[in-house]
Amino acid sequence: MSTAFNNAPQSTKLVVVAAAASVATAAILLGYQGSQRKQRTRNLKNDLKRSATAGDIKAQAQAANSQSISLAQATAAAPPHIDEKIEFDEELVLEQLARNIAFLGEEGVQKLRNSFVVVVGAGGIGSWAASMLIKSGVGKIRIIDFDQITLSGLNQHATATRNDVGTPKAIAMKKAFRTIAPWVHVDAKVERLQEDSAAFLLSGNPDYVVDCIGDLSSKLDLLKYCFDNKIPVMSSMGAGAKADPSRVQISDISETFEDPLARAVRRRLKKLGVDTGIDVVFSSEKPYQAKPQPNSNNSTSQHHNDDEKNGYSPLPNFPSGSALPVFGPLPAMFGMSMATFITCKIAGWAMDPLPNKNRTELYQRLHRDLKIQEEELAERQGKTITDIPLDRRDVGYVIEEIFRGGQSGLSQSMDRIALCRWKRDEPLSLTNVVVLTQREMERHLALPVGADLEKVYGKEAVAFIEGLFREEEQICRLR
């Protein structure tokens, strides 16, 4: 080997020597980098050991054995170390955030690290939103929730374990975040947000507020306060009785459809003077397969109407009569969608959610034509009306959801569709407005008031349309 090398041309010798030098240099560099990575790993493990002790496990087990705890006990449930300062290596922080830095840039991630976000509601949606926010780089987060971790809620929660059962959600999440991102300042509030506590709980000039509240009254208090005080807010609508991931969307509150909670929020906000300006995540899936689930507190509830007695209570207020089932992955998708949207907004990444269906002009035209019909009918009856009970969004709901994308109830044709009352001797409503083609509508309006529709259209056609209305009535009971 040595002889062959000595007899080789000078140029060949130089190439071999250079290659050997390159290999040696690479080996030295790789060895150094490997040593550095090992040292960083050791540092990280040491950091994590400070935030996970045997005392934590004991405290969590004691909490799990408790059936219920008072608010004072809940606030005191945090282990002694939970607010202790943890020393961490800035280089490790940057390495942990490296993929976000590669996407959002150093400036974008620095904006996140300087930001302050408040998450209200730490259940299936809020826990995932908060978790992804801190993993994305948010430097300060406040978690507000008055409730405790339950065993039945573990499969929807982002961070909770069995050891957390019985402890406040906000406290349990704060402990978990100490092990995930110890440099993040986490402020846990075991409180219920209401109108008189909103100013205190949302203090500190947050860059964003994340609304993951299920109770309608508290949700409205939060959204109205944020709107009035010009605090950016994103709100989660209802995930109950839905499972289709392709229907999860982000839009302004004014553009939501097929979401019972969104409809309730939208209409009540309008009464408070808020028509638009609040971003929401919602599902446009129609929950027609939903069945109400019994609530264990049913015996203590005060029923106010027959719907509640039958177990079909309005979803937004979470009454004790019944509740819609929630499929675990959907809350996680809602929360992660909110975290993604807010992270990009704070970091300065362009975000322009896809418009829903983009058929606004169609809804406006059909609403206008329907209003003209109702005005003419009222005039023939010697009356005057200034508005009708359905707005443009209701028209969109009728088209997209009740009549499956705008198909005629009689022919399933989508050619030049129009709207009119189905039974002309009954008031206009969501369950008495039908989608027809223009020609079918003209024929329908020419029928005598009170005509036998089965004789005109046949039993099968009438059964199909009225079946859609019965389905809508069932869904309305779940609202």
Side-chain angles (χ1 to χ4, degrees):
M1 187 79 175
S2 175
T3 303
F5 179 79
N6 291 334
N7 294 333
Q10 185 65 25
S11 60
T12 302
K13 292 179 180 179
L14 291 174
V15 170
V16 172
V17 171
S22 298
V23 170
T25 302
I28 293 171
L29 289 174
L30 290 174
Y32 175 76
Q33 292 174 348
S35 173
Q36 289 292 96
R37 282 195 296 271
K38 289 178 181 179
Q39 183 60 43
R40 291 175 184 171
T41 302
R42 284 194 293 270
N43 291 341
L44 180 58
K45 288 180 178 178
N46 290 335
D47 286 345
L48 295 180
K49 284 179 181 179
R50 297 189 189 102
S51 60
T53 66
D56 298 342
I57 299 174
K58 182 178 179 181
Q60 292 168 355
Q62 290 172 345
N65 291 331
S66 173
Q67 294 298 315
S68 63
I69 56 179
S70 67
L71 180 58
Q73 290 173 319
T75 307
H81 80 277
I82 200 166
D83 288 317
E84 292 177 2
K85 183 177 181 182
I86 293 181
E87 298 295 333
F88 54 85
D89 187 338
E90 178 64 17
E91 191 174 354
L92 286 176
V93 177
L94 295 177
E95 185 169 340
Q96 188 168 335
L97 297 174
R99 297 186 181 185
N100 287 339
I101 293 173
F103 186 84
L104 299 170
E106 293 183 1
E107 184 179 350
V109 171
Q110 191 57 50
K111 289 179 180 178
L112 285 168
R113 295 191 66 185
N114 294 334
S115 68
F116 169 35
V117 177
V118 178
V119 178
V120 189
I125 298 175
S127 65
W128 283 98
S131 181
M132 295 312 299
L133 285 168
I134 70 143
K135 290 179 180 180
S136 298
V138 168
K140 180 181 178 181
I141 191 166
R142 180 178 296 152
I143 304 168
I144 303 169
D145 195 297
F146 68 93
D147 206 357
Q148 304 167 16
I149 301 291
T150 62
L151 188 60
S152 63
L154 289 184
N155 290 347
Q156 296 177 17
H157 205 274
T159 65
T161 67
R162 283 195 168 212
N163 288 333
D164 293 318
V165 172
T167 62
K169 293 177 181 178
I171 299 298
M173 289 179 65
K174 180 170 182 174
K175 290 194 297 182
F177 291 164
R178 296 283 278 183
T179 65
I180 297 171
W183 61 87
V184 176
H185 176 70
V186 182
D187 180 16
K189 301 288 188 186
V190 186
E191 297 190 45
R192 182 196 291 269
L193 188 141
Q194 295 176 310
E195 184 178 8
D196 58 357
S197 64
F200 166 68
L201 293 175
L202 302 180
S203 62
N205 298 316
D207 295 282
Y208 240 100
V209 171
V210 190
D211 164 34
C212 302
I213 303 174
D215 175 70
L216 181 59
S217 177
S218 296
K219 182 178 285 287
L220 291 170
D221 289 339
L222 170 64
L223 296 179
K224 185 64 164 64
Y225 182 88
C226 289
F227 184 86
D228 290 344
N229 290 275
K230 297 180 172 53
I231 301 174
V233 60
M234 187 173 194
S235 181
S236 168
M237 298 293 106
K242 301 190 178 188
D244 186 349
S246 69
R247 297 295 192 100
V248 178
Q249 301 185 50
I250 292 174
S251 76
D252 186 86
I253 183 67
S254 63
E255 298 300 327
T256 55
F257 61 98
E258 191 28 62
D259 187 313
L261 180 56
R263 171 177 291 183
V265 171
R266 188 176 66 237
R267 289 183 171 178
R268 284 162 176 78
L269 282 176
K270 188 172 184 179
K271 292 180 180 179
L272 297 173
V274 182
D275 286 322
T276 185
I278 296 175
D279 293 314
V280 302
V281 60
F282 74 104
S283 170
S284 62
E285 179 183 1
K286 188 180 183 70
Y288 55 86
Q289 297 179 1
K291 295 181 180 179
Q293 302 299 305
N295 189 299
S296 59
N297 296 325
N298 188 57
S299 60
T300 62
S301 64
Q302 296 294 319
H303 298 295
H304 298 291
N305 54 50
D306 291 338
D307 287 343
E308 288 192 15
K309 291 177 182 177
N310 293 330
Y312 293 94
S313 303
L315 168 66
N317 288 321
F318 286 128
S320 54
S322 65
L324 286 177
V326 179
F327 183 46
L330 259 290
M333 291 187 64
F334 272 44
M336 288 191 281
S337 296
M338 298 174 84
T340 302
F341 183 85
I342 292 169
T343 296
C344 289
K345 283 283 189 178
I346 293 175
W349 183 269
M351 180 68 70
D352 187 17
L354 184 69
N356 301 322
K357 300 285 186 179
N358 201 25
R359 301 218 280 182
T360 302
E361 292 184 3
L362 172 64
Y363 305 153
Q364 289 175 334
R365 177 177 63 79
L366 294 177
H367 180 263
R368 181 184 64 247
D369 293 346
L370 183 61
K371 186 172 183 289
I372 292 173
Q373 284 181 33
E374 292 297 305
E375 288 172 343
E376 291 176 348
L377 176 61
E379 186 177 350
R380 288 195 295 271
Q381 297 174 343
K383 302 177 182 178
T384 301
I385 63 171
T386 58
D387 206 353
I388 60 175
L390 305 181
D391 61 22
R392 176 180 58 81
R393 288 181 289 269
D394 293 325
V395 167
Y397 175 80
V398 170
I399 298 296
E400 305 298 348
E401 301 302 331
I402 299 180
F403 285 88
R404 310 295 195 263
Q407 299 179 16
S408 163
L410 294 175
S411 62
Q412 283 67 62
S413 171
M414 300 178 70
D415 181 37
R416 297 187 63 204
I417 59 173
L419 296 176
C420 64
R421 292 193 197 189
W422 174 238
K423 295 180 178 179
R424 296 176 59 213
D425 55 346
E426 295 184 7
L428 179 69
S429 69
L430 282 175
T431 54
N432 191 36
V433 60
V434 65
V435 175
L436 302 173
T437 66
Q438 187 72 30
R439 182 170 295 182
E440 290 169 345
M441 183 195 70
E442 292 171 357
R443 179 188 176 193
H444 188 74
L445 293 178
L447 295 174
V449 175
D452 188 336
L453 298 178
E454 285 191 358
K455 289 183 179 180
V456 177
Y457 299 120
K459 289 185 177 180
E460 185 175 343
V462 171
F464 173 75
I465 292 175
E466 296 189 350
L468 296 179
F469 293 151
R470 284 194 299 273
E471 184 179 282
E472 175 60 21
E473 287 173 350
Q474 291 174 348
I475 293 173
C476 285
R477 290 172 179 169
L478 298 175
R479 294 170 182 158

